[in-house]
Amino acid sequence: MTNTQTLIKTAKAMVANGKGLLAMDESNGTCNRRFANADISQTLEMRRAYRELLLTTPGLGDCISGVILYDETIRQAKDDGTPFIQVAQDANLLIGIKVDIGTQDLAAHPGEKVTEGLDGLRERLQAYFEMGARFAKWRSVIALDDIRLPSQSCIEANAHTLARYATLCQEAGLVPIVEPEVLMDGSHPLTRCQEATEAVLRSVFGQLTRQGVVLEAMILKPNVVVAGLGCPTQNTAQEVADATVQCLRRVVPAAVPGIAFLSGGQSGQLASSRLNAMHVGHDLPWPLSFSFGRALQHPALDIWAGHDANRVAAQQALVHRARCNCAALKGEYKTGMEAP
Ligand code: 13P
């Protein structure tokens, strides 16, 4: 099999069989912030113990096709010494790795960011491939407001960077997850998010095509189209699903083997119900799946709270959210599946 054929096979497998991805690739800074909010001590060992809890969840592989790890995590091991890479492979989970190194202020553009990490990326990708990773992730963030943002230059800088990352991934034998996230912060209405998301995705696909990315060998990880968190009008799951599917159908080529949403700060239940509504009565040219971080993990993190005694209950909460999202991919999620 050629490199491209292998990449296409991996990309398809990431969204096959009605499964999704578990994003557990929080940088140390983000992970520590979430630990602090849950009153968990922010140490290397606690981060390792938490990631062991997630990776060893019984039944995870029934709903999840792959996990996205962080550089610290991909090098870690279980308490008994089994490397996490081995644990994931034994559970039939594809291994992904976050390879961007975070965002910086975009010069001359107050309030906007560009994602860094291209320096030395070719060598880092090769090393991750040799460790067992088969896909990678790079997240760009686009801020939105009622009037000014996003600027065209911010959209273009991030699209260009995402495409450079994606070509390097494919060269190294890794499927790129291309993640341009239009943020939920702000008070803008849903229509504004739809316009911005469409503009961002048009620019991203323009750059991906121009720079020679094989569209059949990548996964798109977009935001759901929603009103800003501060907007007084919050839309129904049906309205969110209609706007999101319309936006994606207009700009994402059918050649792309799959789309896997980020959760972006939606609650677990909202994320599931919106995903469900997208799978009822819509004509979808690609598998539409999930690659959630918070919407899968948050209940589990709160239950665990850093205590070994809560481990099993936390794992049950994780697998429950994964099952809810798998049901959503079949249009079978009902709020009745949630605990009262
Ligand atoms: P959230 O689902 O918490 O937004 O995280 C997904 C992710 O991978 C962000 O880069």
Side-chain angles (χ1 to χ4, degrees):
M1 224 189 271
T2 65
N3 177 37
T4 303
Q5 284 168 333
T6 308
L7 285 168
I8 293 172
K9 196 168 158 220
T10 303
K12 285 185 177 156
M14 289 163 67
V15 288
N17 306 318
K19 297 187 192 181
L21 301 167
L22 168 61
M24 45 178 286
D25 60 328
E26 299 81 11
S27 64
N28 290 347
T30 302
C31 188
N32 287 345
R33 262 197 312 282
R34 296 196 181 146
F35 276 14
N37 288 338
D39 217 11
I40 300 167
S41 59
Q42 297 113 61
T43 62
L44 174 75
E45 172 50 22
M46 288 306 253
R47 291 193 299 271
R48 191 209 61 76
Y50 177 58
R51 267 60 180 262
E52 174 171 343
L53 179 157
L54 297 176
L55 279 176
T56 57
T57 297
L60 193 63
D62 298 341
C63 307
I64 300 292
S65 56
V67 287
I68 315 176
L69 306 179
Y70 183 58
D71 183 72
E72 176 180 278
T73 319
I74 201 170
R75 302 167 194 279
Q76 286 177 321
K78 270 173 55 174
D79 242 352
D80 69 5
T82 316
F84 281 168
I85 290 182
Q86 185 70 48
V87 177
Q89 285 167 343
D90 290 348
N92 215 9
L93 297 165
L94 287 160
I95 296 161
I97 179 79
K98 169 188 172 76
V99 299
D100 67 75
I101 58 168
T103 58
Q104 292 290 334
D105 291 340
L106 183 62
H109 292 76
E112 301 200 287
K113 303 274 184 193
V114 67
T115 303
E116 304 278 353
L118 288 174
D119 288 353
L121 183 59
R122 176 175 271 134
E123 293 72 24
R124 288 197 291 129
L125 293 173
Q126 279 163 3
Y128 288 134
F129 180 87
E130 276 156 30
M131 290 164 90
R134 289 298 173 266
F135 67 95
K137 187 197 97 171
W138 179 292
R139 171 175 175 260
S140 292
V141 295
I142 310 287
L144 190 54
D145 67 11
D146 286 329
I147 328 155
R148 195 174 58 90
L149 304 183
S151 67
Q152 192 57 29
S153 37
C154 174
I155 291 176
E156 285 174 14
N158 280 294
H160 187 267
T161 311
L162 277 166
R164 285 199 56 203
Y165 141 82
T167 46
L168 283 164
C169 281
Q170 291 185 341
E171 177 189 276
L174 296 164
V175 172
I177 293 185
V178 173
E179 181 180 6
E181 174 175 6
V182 175
L183 295 172
M184 281 165 53
D185 303 322
S187 55
H188 51 272
L190 173 138
T191 45
R192 181 101 185 85
C193 178
Q194 182 168 353
E195 280 165 19
T197 304
E198 187 172 326
V200 166
L201 292 176
R202 275 193 200 289
S203 180
V204 167
F205 278 100
Q207 281 295 333
L208 292 172
T209 312
R210 223 163 293 145
Q211 294 191 40
V213 173
V214 181
L215 296 181
E216 290 81 358
M218 61 162 277
I219 297 291
L220 178 70
K221 178 163 172 167
N223 51 284
V224 173
V225 172
V226 284
L229 288 171
C231 179
T233 309
Q234 291 295 321
N235 303 85
T236 63
Q238 188 66 53
E239 289 166 342
V240 167
D242 291 348
T244 304
V245 171
Q246 183 181 60
C247 176
L248 295 173
R249 280 182 54 93
R250 284 177 175 171
V251 279
V252 184
V256 172
I259 297 176
F261 290 103
L262 61 95
S263 60
Q266 303 170 85
S267 71
Q269 297 189 17
L270 260 186
S272 298
S273 63
R274 290 166 171 171
L275 193 57
N276 191 74
M278 293 180 212
H279 288 86
V280 180
H282 289 107
D283 182 14
L284 304 173
W286 356 249
L288 207 51
S289 182
F290 58 92
S291 173
F292 293 158
R294 284 162 286 180
L296 280 169
Q297 287 184 46
H298 253 190
L301 179 65
D302 287 343
I303 291 169
W304 178 55
H307 302 296
D308 221 32
N310 302 334
R311 212 183 133 85
V312 171
Q315 290 180 327
Q316 285 166 350
L318 172 65
V319 94
H320 174 70
R321 287 259 54 85
R323 286 195 185 121
C324 286
N325 289 309
C326 284
L329 300 189
K330 293 189 269 187
E332 292 173 2
Y333 170 76
K334 308 223 167 359
T335 44
M337 289 173 71
E338 306 291 353

